[in-house]
Amino acid sequence: MRQSRIRAGLRVKDLHDVVRRQNILLTELSITDDLTGLFNRRYLTRKLDERIVHLRSARGVLSCALLDLDRFKQVNDASGHLAGDEILMKVGGILKDSLGSGDIAGRWGGDEFLVIFSEEKSKSGDGAPEALIREWSNRLQPLIEKLKPIGVSAGVAAVKGPDPNLDPVNLIADLDRLLYQAKQNGKIHFVFAKFDSVGRRKGARPEPRKKSADQRPLIFVLEDDADLCSII
C-alpha cells in the first residue's frame, strides 16, 4: 500500500512538472515575435505601461527609441517576402547584440522596433538620453552596415517622473512623430526630443524646468565614414 501511494505521488509530481513546463512555454510563446525572436507588441505595451504607471507617482527616468527600417519596402518588393523576412530576423539578432542588461527590444509592427532602456541606464547623464543613445548607436552602426542597402532611423525620447500626466499612448505617438522627422532626412538618423518634453496627456505639459544646453533638440546622424556619427 505504501509503495502504491509513493508511485501515485510520483506520477502526480511528474504531471505537475509537465504542466509547469507547458505553462512556461506558453508564456514565452505569448510574448515572443515568431519571426525575429524579440518580444512582441503585447509584451512591449505591458512593460511600457508598467514603467509609465510607476513614473506617475515615483521619481525615475524612462528612455526609449522607436526604430524603422529604411528602404525595406523596396528590398521586400524587389527580392520577395522571404528576403524581407530574412532581413527582419537579422535585425532581431542585431538588436539583441547591441543592447545591454535590463534593456528590452521588440517588434512593434511590420518593420518597426521599440527599444525600452533600463531605468538604471536612463538615469545616466542626469537623465538626458543623448550619451546613452550615442553609446548604443555606436555599437549599432557597424552591425547595420552588414544590412546595406537597409538603414535604420529612430525617434528617441526620455521622460521623467513623478508626473501624473505621463501617458504611454501619447509617448508612442510622439516617438512616431520623431521617427517621421528622422526619415525625412533621407539618411540614417536618430532624432531626439527635448528631454522630458513629450509623452503627456493631451493638453498637459511637464512642470517648467530651468533650460540648459543639454536640453536642446538634437538630430543625431550616423555617417558612413570613420567618425560614425555627428550631431547637427
Side-chain angles (χ1 to χ4, degrees), residues 66-172:
L66 184 64
L67 300 90
D68 184 86
L69 302 185
D70 301 322
R71 297 177 291 276
F72 177 76
K73 186 177 186 303
Q74 293 91 316
V75 173
N76 202 38
D77 290 345
S79 303
H81 292 292
L82 289 179
D85 287 349
E86 185 176 354
I87 289 172
L88 292 174
M89 287 187 284
K90 287 181 179 179
V91 171
I94 286 172
L95 286 175
K96 286 179 181 177
D97 291 341
S98 71
L99 296 176
S101 176
D103 304 330
I104 64 172
R107 187 180 178 194
W108 190 246
D111 60 340
E112 285 189 343
F113 298 84
L114 181 67
V115 177
I116 303 174
F117 294 97
S118 68
E119 183 169 358
E120 180 180 347
K121 291 183 181 178
S122 296
K123 287 179 180 178
S124 63
D126 296 325
E130 288 87 352
L132 169 73
I133 304 303
R134 184 180 300 114
E135 191 269 338
W136 169 62
S137 61
N138 284 339
R139 294 198 308 272
L140 195 64
Q141 171 71 357
L143 299 172
I144 293 174
E145 291 293 329
K146 301 176 182 179
L147 293 178
K148 283 185 174 179
I150 297 295
V152 175
S153 296
V156 185
V159 294
K160 186 177 182 180
D163 190 330
N165 291 310
L166 286 170
D167 181 74
V169 174
N170 283 288
L171 177 57
I172 290 295

